[in-house]
Amino acid sequence: MTQAPPPRVSIQTQDFDLNAEIATLRAQDGRVGAVCSFIGTVRDRTAGEPGAISSMELEHYPGMTEKSIEVMIDAAMQRFDIFGARVIHRVGLLQPLDQIVMVVVTSAHRGESFAACEFLMDYLKTQAPFWKKEQTPDGAKWVDARVSDDAALAKWGIASNNS
């Protein structure tokens, strides 16, 4: 009996283990010559002010968020010569230094892995339906999309929903 492949997308409150996720994605695939990963963490600062963020809360639309990210992984699979991709994004209340997002991509060669990983992160920063609220000394505030994130997505020929 063959085991079902692991999900490509997980939205979860619990932390993740990069090494375990890479091992699962590689799963004895002898074609893999490159693994590229990105881990995003919660910063304790905003606009260069250390200690300005005491926590971050993330919300999403269950089902819609996963489907949106699945569509972008499909686009990455068509655009780049990659074998697999895995995205984990945490939601709920997070503290500075906590891991918030992971993208892992496998391919035969590093160039495709790097490009696909960057492509997926650029998408996640602008298009995936997440809402972030930071706790600061001045109170809670929702985080707006940044122009630099929209520009990063545009280099792939994709217009941001924020524009």
Side-chain angles (χ1 to χ4, degrees):
M1 175 182 241
T2 31
Q3 191 171 324
R8 298 188 310 176
V9 177
S10 294
I11 309 300
Q12 60 194 45
T13 56
Q14 71 270 22
D15 201 4
F16 50 84
D17 178 344
L18 176 63
N19 290 331
E21 295 298 334
I22 288 173
T24 300
L25 188 61
R26 289 180 62 195
Q28 305 299 317
D29 188 344
R31 302 172 302 163
V32 175
V35 177
C36 183
S37 65
F38 174 86
I39 301 289
T41 59
V42 179
R43 292 182 298 268
D44 71 348
R45 62 200 65 215
T46 184
E49 296 177 41
I53 298 174
S54 59
S55 67
M56 178 182 286
E57 189 168 0
L58 283 98
E59 297 179 5
H60 76 298
Y61 279 127
M64 180 168 127
T65 302
E66 292 87 342
K67 183 175 176 152
S68 172
I69 297 169
E70 284 282 355
V71 167
M72 193 47 59
I73 290 175
D74 288 342
M77 299 288 286
Q78 292 172 1
R79 189 180 282 235
F80 305 100
D81 188 12
I82 61 175
F83 302 135
R86 175 94 165 107
V87 174
I88 297 176
H89 206 298
R90 294 180 66 197
V91 293
L93 186 64
L94 299 170
Q95 306 300 318
L97 306 177
D98 284 351
Q99 297 183 127
I100 189 170
V101 63
M102 179 204 81
V103 175
V104 178
V105 176
T106 60
S107 68
H109 303 285
R110 71 180 181 269
E112 294 294 301
S113 268
F114 278 125
C117 193
E118 185 176 19
F119 174 80
L120 288 168
M121 250 339 283
D122 288 344
Y123 171 78
L124 284 166
K125 288 291 287 182
T126 58
Q127 304 297 101
F130 290 101
W131 294 268
K132 300 175 186 175
K133 184 171 35 173
E134 297 173 338
Q135 286 293 334
T136 71
D138 298 327
K141 67 175 188 169
W142 291 101
V143 178
D144 292 327
R146 296 184 314 188
V147 172
S148 61
D149 292 331
D150 291 342
L153 188 65
K155 77 180 174 197
W156 304 108
I158 301 171
S160 170
N161 292 338
N162 303 318
S163 303

